[in-house]
């Protein structure tokens, strides 16, 4: 093994979807968000596993992702595009039957003129101030929009991973006010919103990060294992430095392993002198700076020299690594680079 091996458990992804689906009433559809190449894990295998588990609606960020997803799941599942109908997207949306979530009057005009009668949804801004129509804008076009028959009206929660934040209830109340009496399927809950309970479920939930083993879904099955090959082992004496900038000095005789991975592979430089890798259940601290292609690890606590060390495993989740890097699990997952050998287990990836 000359490159790191990223093992992705498709059965665990399916298990996580079923677990989140079980949190909602039978009348609530559980969709799946597979943007950013299935959160970095491969949109094709991930989407096929989710479709086999029962997902019939999917969400992507942009139309190009929708094209890759359509190829993976075939003509029947609904594919919603969070980014809406952007310039240049018309042919792709029309040819592939994508459903743009229109975010502005400009997008509405583009969609209704270019693809009259084609399916669409609406995204409303319930005070996240990122995407979607604000209340006044929506009021001005609501009646026209409803005559066109949107398939879904949605919004997005800003603080759903923090259940006690008043912002959650504030957004819920505003979304209810903006959609009262419309008689159209509604959605405001991603993973965090799903876990907030039935008040937030409406007609559809659309989990993302929880499918891939990330917080705030604490009960998620582990999905990824990242094993990094050891390419050299050496002993350093007390008082010797390691790595760029001499940021770590041995305070005792130390056995070091150099593994073939670095920030070019999505292992953040911020993990320098902070991260831990594992050999089985034994932790081995990263020492010195994470460089582009190499990381040095203290393996003095092992009985022998390992062939590989794990950064992600059942011992350490993406959120554990993210905490050390000062970021979030989403960023760790979606940063995993192309040099890893990817292996899919649990279900067929074809």
């Amino acid at each position: 093994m000359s490159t790191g091996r990223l093992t992705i458990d498709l059965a665990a992804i399916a298990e996580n979807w079923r677990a989140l689906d079980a949190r909602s009433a039978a009348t609530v559809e559980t969709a799946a968000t597979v943007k950013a190449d299935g959160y970095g894990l491969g949109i094709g295998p991930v989407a096929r596993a989710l479709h086999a588990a029962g997902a019939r609606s999917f969400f992507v960020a942009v139309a190009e992702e929708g094209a890759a997803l359509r190829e993976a799941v075939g003509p029947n599942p609904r594919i919603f595009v969070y980014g809406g109908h952007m310039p240049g997207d018309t042919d792709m949306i029309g040819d592939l039957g994508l459903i743009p979530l229109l975010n502005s009057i400009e997008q509405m005009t583009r969609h209704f003129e270019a693809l009259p009668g084609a399916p669409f949804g609406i995204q409303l801004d319930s005070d996240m101030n990122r995407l979607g129509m604000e209340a006044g804008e929506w009021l001005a076009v609501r009646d026209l929009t409803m005559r066109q028959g949107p398939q879904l009206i949605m919004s997005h929660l800003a603080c759903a991973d923090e259940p006690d934040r008043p912002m959650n209830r504030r957004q819920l109340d505003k979304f209810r006010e903006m959609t009262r009496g419309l008689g159209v399927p509604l959605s405001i809950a991603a993973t965090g919103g799903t876990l907030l309970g039935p008040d937030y479920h409406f007609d559809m939930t659309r989990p993302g990060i929880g499918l891939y083993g990330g917080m705030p879904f604490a009960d998620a099955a582990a999905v990824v294992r990242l094993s990094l090959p050891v390419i050299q082992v050496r002993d350093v004496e007390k008082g010797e430095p390691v790595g760029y900038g001499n940021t770590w000095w041995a305070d005792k005789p130390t056995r070091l392993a150099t593994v073939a991975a670095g920030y070019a592979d999505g292992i953040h430089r911020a993990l320098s002198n902070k991260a831990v890798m594992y050999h089985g259940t034994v932790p081995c601290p990263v020492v010195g700076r994470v460089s582009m292609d190499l990381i040095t690890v203290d393996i003095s606590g092992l009985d022998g020299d390992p062939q590989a060390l794990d950064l992600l495993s059942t011992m350490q989740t993406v959120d554990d690594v993210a905490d050390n890097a000062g970021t979030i699990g989403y960023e760790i997952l979606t940063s995993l680079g192309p040099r890893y050998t990817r292996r899919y287990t649990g279900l067929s990836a074809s």
Side-chain angles (χ1 to χ4, degrees), residues 62-105:
V62 294
E64 289 80 2
E65 292 179 339
L69 177 57
R70 181 63 76 202
E71 182 177 356
V73 298
N76 294 323
R78 295 191 298 173
I79 299 175
F80 293 90
V81 181
Y82 284 125
H85 190 150
M86 292 189 282
D89 286 351
T90 298
D91 288 346
M92 194 176 299
I93 289 171
D95 293 345
L96 298 175
L98 307 180
I99 306 172
L101 293 159
L102 307 178
N103 293 289
S104 65
I105 293 176

Side-chain angles (χ1 to χ4, degrees), residues 57-266:
S57 296
F58 294 86
F59 287 77
V60 294
V62 294
E64 289 80 2
E65 292 179 339
L69 177 57
R70 181 63 76 202
E71 182 177 356
V73 298
N76 294 323
R78 295 191 298 173
I79 299 175
F80 293 90
V81 181
Y82 284 125
H85 190 150
M86 292 189 282
D89 286 351
T90 298
D91 288 346
M92 194 176 299
I93 289 171
D95 293 345
L96 298 175
L98 307 180
I99 306 172
L101 293 159
L102 307 178
N103 293 289
S104 65
I105 293 176
E106 178 187 5
Q107 286 199 355
M108 288 181 59
T109 302
R110 179 180 301 122
H111 188 73
F112 294 163
E113 290 182 351
L115 295 170
F120 69 96
I122 295 292
Q123 184 161 186
L124 301 178
D125 173 34
S126 55
D127 282 348
M128 189 173 181
N129 287 309
R130 189 179 65 167
L131 268 184
M133 284 184 267
E134 297 181 0
E137 186 180 20
W138 171 235
L139 183 61
V141 298
R142 185 180 61 190
D143 292 344
L144 169 64
T145 304
M146 296 309 297
R147 287 197 293 270
Q148 301 293 327
Q151 295 209 2
L152 182 72
I153 298 177
M154 63 149 287
S155 190
H156 197 69
L157 295 167
C159 304
D161 56 345
E162 301 175 76
D164 296 330
R165 288 286 292 273
M167 185 65 170
N168 294 320
R169 180 60 61 173
R170 171 179 163 178
Q171 286 192 263
L172 177 64
D173 292 343
K174 185 162 188 176
F175 184 60
R176 283 175 169 163
E177 179 183 344
M178 295 172 76
T179 58
R180 186 174 289 115
L182 295 183
V184 173
L186 304 176
S187 176
I188 198 172
T191 298
T194 302
L195 300 174
L196 288 176
D199 284 353
Y200 293 83
H201 293 168
F202 291 95
D203 301 288
M204 176 191 283
T205 61
R206 44 180 211 280
I209 189 65
L211 304 177
Y212 310 101
M215 294 296 284
F217 188 25
D219 296 330
V223 169
V224 292
R225 178 180 178 185
L226 179 57
S227 295
L228 305 174
V230 173
I231 56 176
Q232 191 175 76
V233 175
R234 70 174 65 234
D235 293 305
V236 296
E237 299 300 322
K238 179 180 179 180
E240 288 193 85
V242 173
Y244 284 122
N246 298 161
T247 62
W248 186 86
W249 294 73
D251 60 6
K252 61 185 177 182
T254 304
R255 189 134 176 99
L256 296 180
T258 301
V259 301
Y263 56 75
D265 305 291

